[in-house]
C-alpha cells in the first residue's frame, strides 16, 4: 500500500505527497487547484498540473529538511537514510517553515497541541546531547522538523513559558542554543544575538532577536507568522521559499563554490519574484556589505528567502542567521559568493564592487552609497550594541568573548572601509544617505 502525507495550508488540505516508482509525487486537491485564490507551492509545481513527479517535488521538499552534518546526525538517530526525503517528513512534519504543515493520514489539522518544555531541560539538553535531536527524547514523534536541528521551534506564551508544537500547531519563535556538534564555535548564540542586534540597530530588516544567558541561547521571533490582535486568536503562517527552492535545486547547491547559485542568479530571482524589486535589490546589496563588514562568510542562497503575503505581494524576507564566522579559525575565510570575481574579504576592493555593479546592471553610485552607508553605521553602532548586551547577566567567559567579538568586527569593518570605500574618495554626508523609495526604481538600471 502506498504511503501518503497530506499537505495543508491554514488547515486546508491542498494536496498529497507520496512516492511512485521511487520518485516523489505531489498531487493538488482539485478543489484547491481550481480555486482562483490558490497560490502554487512553487512555480516548479504549477497549479495547472494535477500532479508533478520527480525532481521539482524532491527539490522543493528536500529544502525543508535539515542540512549537511545535522541531517547526518538525525539520519543515524532515526535510522532513516539522509537521502530519504519522504522518510524524514514521516518522522517530522507538522510545523514547517513558511505556511505549510504536513500531516499523516488520520491526523487532524488545527489541533494546536503543545508540550511544555522547562528552560532547565533545554540547557541540560544543549550541554549534554551528542547530536541527538531534542524532540526524539519526547514521547510524541510528530514534532516540528526544526526541533530536530540545533535550533528548536517553540511556542512562547504571554508569560514567557516555552512549549514544543505538536502536529501542525504553529510555533512563534526559534531557539538556537550554542552549537556544540562542531568544534571551535564557542558562544555561537551570543555571537548571533550580537550580530543580529547590530543589523537591527543600523536599520536592516531582521527578525526580533533576544539573547538568553541563563540557557546560553538566542531567541528569534518568527517572521513567517502573523499575530492576532487578540492573544487567544490563532497564529497565521506566511508562504516562504528560499532561493534554492525558487531555482529548483537541492540544498547542497547553496554555495557558489560547489556549483550552486551565483550572485547574478540570486539578484535575478529577487527581481523576478519581488513585487518591489527596487527596494529589495538595495536591501540585498546592503546584506552583502554587512556580511563583509562583520565577517560573515556563511551568507549563502538558503539564507535568502521570499515571502508571499495573503494579498499576493512578494518581498525579500528579513535577513536571518547572521553571525561573525571569521572569528572562528576553523571556519572558511572565503565569502559564500564572489563579488566581482573575488571571494576573499581581505582582497575585496572598490574595483570588484564596480565590476559587480556592471554584472548586476545596477548603477555603481547606488552600490557605493549603499555599502558606505552600511559600513559606516556598523562602525558607529558597535559600542552601543555591545553596551546593550553587556547589561545582561553574562558570565565572565561570555564577557570575554563579547570583548573579543567587538574588537574583531571593528577590525573587519575598518578593513572593509579602507579597501572598498576609501579608494573611491569620500562622498558628502548628504550623498551617503540611501535614496528614498520613490527614487529606487529609477536608479536601478545599467551603470
Amino acid at each position: 500500500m502506498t504511503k501518503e502525507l497530506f499537505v495543508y495550508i491554514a488547515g486546508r488540505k491542498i494536496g498529497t505527497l507520496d512516492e511512485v516508482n521511487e520518485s516523489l509525487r505531489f498531487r493538488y486537491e482539485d478543489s484547491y487547484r481550481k480555486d482562483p485564490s490558490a497560490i502554487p507551492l512553487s512555480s516548479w509545481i504549477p497549479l495547472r498540473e494535477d500532479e508533478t513527479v520527480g525532481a521539482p517535488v524532491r527539490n522543493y521538499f528536500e529544502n525543508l529538511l535539515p542540512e549537511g552534518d545535522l541531517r547526518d546526525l538525525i539520519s543515524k538517530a532515526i535510522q532513516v537514510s539522509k537521502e530519504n526525503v519522504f522518510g524524514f517528513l514521516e518522522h517530522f512534519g507538522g510545523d514547517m517553515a513558511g505556511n505549510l504543515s504536513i500531516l499523516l493520514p488520520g491526523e487532524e489539522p488545527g489541533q494546536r497541541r503543545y508540550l511544555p518544555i522547562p528552560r532547565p531541560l533545554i540547557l541540560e539538553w544543549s550541554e549534554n546531547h551528542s547530536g541527538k535531536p531534542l524532540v526524539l527524547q519526547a514521547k510524541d514523534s510528530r514534532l516540528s522538523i526544526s526541533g530536530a536541528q540545533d535550533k528548536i521551534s517553540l511556542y512562547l506564551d504571554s508569560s514567557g513559558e516555552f512549549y514544543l508544537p505538536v502536529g501542525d500547531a504553529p510555533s512563534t519563535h526559534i531557539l538556537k542554543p550554542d552549537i556544540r556538534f562542531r568544534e571551535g564555535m564557542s558562544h555561537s548564540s551570543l555571537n548571533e544575538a550580537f550580530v543580529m542586534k547590530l543589523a537591527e540597530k543600523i536599520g536592516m530588516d531582521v527578525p526580533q532577536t533576544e539573547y538568553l544567558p541563563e540557557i546560553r541561547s538566542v531567541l528569534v521571533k518568527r517572521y513567517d507568522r502573523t499575530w492576532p490582535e487578540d492573544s487567544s486568536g490563532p497564529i497565521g503562517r506566511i508562504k516562504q521559499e528560499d532561493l534554492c527552492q525558487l531555482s529548483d535545486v537541492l540544498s547542497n547547491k547553496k554555495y557558489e563554490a560547489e556549483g550552486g547559485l551565483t550572485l547574478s542568479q540570486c539578484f535575478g530571482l529577487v527581481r523576478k519574484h519581488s513585487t518591489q524589486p527596487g527596494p529589495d535589490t538595495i536591501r540585498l546589496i546592503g546584506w552583502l556589505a554587512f556580511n563583509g563588514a562583520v565577517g560573515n562568510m556563511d551568507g549563502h542562497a538558503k539564507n535568502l528567502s521570499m515571502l508571499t503575503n495573503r494579498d499576493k505581494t512578494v518581498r525579500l524576507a528579513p535577513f536571518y542567521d547572521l553571525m561573525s564566522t571569521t572569528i572562528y579559525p576553523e571556519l572558511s575565510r572565503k565569502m559564500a559568493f564572489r563579488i566581482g570575481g573575488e571571494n576573499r574579504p581581505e582582497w575585496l576592493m572598490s574595483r570588484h564592487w564596480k565590476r559587480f555593479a556592471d554584472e548586476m546592471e545596477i548603477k555603481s553610485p547606488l552600490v557605493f552609497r549603499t555599502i558606505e552607508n552600511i559600513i559606516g553605521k556598523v562602525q558607529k553602532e558597535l559600542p552601543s550594541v555591545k553596551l546593550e548586551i553587556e547589561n545582561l547577566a553574562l558570565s565572565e567567559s561570555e564577557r570575554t568573548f563579547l570583548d573579543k567579538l567587538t574588537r574583531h568586527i571593528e577590525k573587519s569593518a575598518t578593513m572593509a572601509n579602507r579597501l572598498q570605500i576609501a579608494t573611491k574618495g569620500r562622498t558628502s554626508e548628504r550623498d551617503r544617505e540611501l535614496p528614498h523609495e520613490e527614487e529606487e526604481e529609477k536608479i536601478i538600471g545599467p551603470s
Side-chain angles (χ1 to χ4, degrees):
M1 181 177 178
T2 302
K3 293 190 289 185
E4 297 178 326
L5 293 171
F6 298 148
V7 180
Y8 292 82
I9 294 178
R12 177 184 183 181
K13 183 182 174 184
I14 70 155
T16 300
L17 180 69
D18 62 8
E19 292 182 294
V20 56
N21 297 326
E22 300 185 351
S23 294
L24 284 180
R25 173 176 64 175
F26 181 79
R27 292 168 289 159
Y28 284 108
E29 293 287 300
D30 281 344
S31 60
Y32 183 79
R33 186 166 60 88
K34 297 173 181 177
D35 186 339
S37 65
I39 298 175
L41 281 184
S42 161
S43 59
W44 303 96
I45 309 176
L47 286 167
R48 65 177 179 271
E49 305 291 343
D50 59 352
E51 70 174 39
T52 304
V53 181
V57 181
R58 173 177 172 77
N59 293 347
Y60 178 83
F61 285 96
E62 187 271 344
N63 274 288
L64 297 175
L65 303 180
E67 307 160 42
D69 294 342
L70 281 169
R71 192 184 299 182
D72 290 341
L73 291 171
I74 298 166
S75 171
K76 294 173 183 176
I78 65 176
Q79 295 185 331
V80 170
S81 167
K82 64 181 180 180
E83 307 299 332
N84 186 352
V85 175
F86 192 91
F88 264 78
L89 293 175
E90 277 188 299
H91 277 78
F92 309 101
D95 186 43
M96 311 296 292
N99 64 340
L100 296 186
S101 55
I102 300 176
L103 300 179
L104 295 168
E107 288 187 306
E108 292 295 325
Q111 296 299 303
R112 289 188 61 136
R113 287 179 54 215
Y114 296 95
L115 299 176
I117 178 168
R119 297 191 183 203
L121 177 60
I122 293 175
L123 180 61
E124 178 185 357
W125 165 74
S126 66
E127 289 186 338
N128 298 321
H129 85 295
S130 300
K132 184 177 182 180
L134 173 64
V135 295
L136 294 184
Q137 301 179 33
K139 294 180 180 179
D140 195 314
S141 63
R142 285 289 294 171
L143 294 164
S144 167
I145 188 66
S146 294
Q149 304 182 51
D150 56 340
K151 56 187 178 183
I152 309 168
S153 288
L154 295 172
Y155 177 84
L156 184 66
D157 70 10
S158 57
S159 63
E161 296 299 319
F162 290 154
Y163 296 83
L164 287 171
V166 181
D168 71 337
S171 57
T172 60
H173 291 72
I174 300 292
L175 186 76
K176 304 172 75 172
D178 280 340
I179 295 173
R180 297 180 182 275
F181 69 92
R182 290 193 184 103
E183 291 293 329
M185 290 193 66
S186 62
H187 300 294
S188 62
S189 58
L190 177 57
N191 185 332
E192 181 171 346
F194 181 88
V195 174
M196 291 287 285
K197 285 283 186 182
L198 180 60
E200 179 185 24
K201 188 78 170 180
I202 71 170
M204 291 177 65
D205 186 12
V206 294
Q208 178 183 318
T209 303
E210 178 183 2
Y211 183 62
L212 305 178
E214 69 274 16
I215 55 174
R216 291 190 282 283
S217 302
V218 59
L219 183 68
V220 183
K221 187 175 182 179
R222 298 195 69 140
Y223 61 76
D224 56 349
R225 298 291 181 262
T226 59
W227 313 88
E229 294 183 7
D230 179 0
S231 60
S232 63
I235 303 296
R237 294 178 168 97
I238 303 174
K239 176 179 170 61
Q240 171 182 280
E241 290 180 85
D242 65 49
L243 295 197
C244 285
Q245 289 174 307
L246 280 174
S247 56
D248 192 31
V249 299
L250 295 173
S251 62
N252 60 10
K253 296 295 184 182
K254 66 182 181 179
Y255 290 111
E256 180 181 3
E258 295 179 337
L261 297 179
T262 65
L263 271 185
S264 180
Q265 290 172 313
C266 290
F267 273 82
L269 286 167
V270 171
R271 287 167 167 170
K272 176 182 177 181
H273 292 278
S274 175
T275 52
Q276 49 178 29
D280 280 348
T281 295
I282 292 174
R283 290 178 56 218
L284 195 50
I285 298 169
W287 175 75
L288 290 172
F290 181 81
N291 285 338
V294 301
N296 179 26
M297 302 295 101
D298 203 38
H300 51 68
K302 282 191 67 65
N303 283 342
L304 296 170
S305 295
M306 304 298 294
L307 295 179
T308 302
N309 298 311
R310 290 182 178 177
D311 62 3
K312 297 191 178 181
T313 58
V314 182
R315 67 182 182 93
L316 186 62
F319 300 117
Y320 51 95
D321 288 353
L322 300 174
M323 66 188 305
S324 179
T325 63
T326 52
I327 197 170
Y328 303 118
E330 294 84 357
L331 300 186
S332 175
R333 314 295 292 184
K334 294 182 179 180
M335 298 180 293
F337 291 111
R338 291 181 180 273
I339 297 176
E342 184 55 71
N343 64 356
R344 298 165 296 176
E346 69 274 16
W347 287 91
L348 184 62
M349 301 181 188
S350 59
R351 67 175 181 270
H352 299 109
W353 281 108
K354 177 62 170 66
R355 190 179 303 147
F356 159 84
D358 293 339
E359 292 170 350
M360 303 302 128
E361 296 187 335
I362 304 172
K363 289 184 177 295
S364 57
L366 171 60
V367 171
F368 283 104
R369 283 202 299 271
T370 302
I371 61 176
E372 182 173 9
N373 179 69
I374 292 292
I375 294 172
K377 286 184 176 180
V378 166
Q379 292 175 308
K380 178 182 177 182
E381 300 297 345
L382 263 175
S384 64
V385 176
K386 180 174 185 283
L387 181 62
E388 180 181 347
I389 301 292
E390 279 180 331
N391 287 331
L392 301 174
L394 302 180
S395 66
E396 191 61 35
S397 174
E398 288 169 317
R399 293 185 184 279
T400 299
F401 179 80
L402 182 61
D403 289 339
K404 178 182 177 182
L405 178 62
T406 306
R407 291 193 303 270
H408 181 81
I409 293 177
E410 183 177 27
K411 181 179 178 181
S412 179
T414 299
M415 180 184 71
N417 181 73
R418 177 172 55 84
L419 293 177
Q420 301 169 34
I421 299 300
T423 54
K424 290 295 297 181
R426 295 294 178 184
T427 60
S428 68
E429 199 66 33
R430 179 175 178 274
D431 287 342
R432 189 177 301 176
E433 293 301 316
L434 293 179
H436 297 293
E437 286 192 11
E438 61 268 21
E439 297 176 310
E440 289 166 341
E441 295 287 354
K442 300 176 183 178
I443 292 175
I444 295 176
S447 56

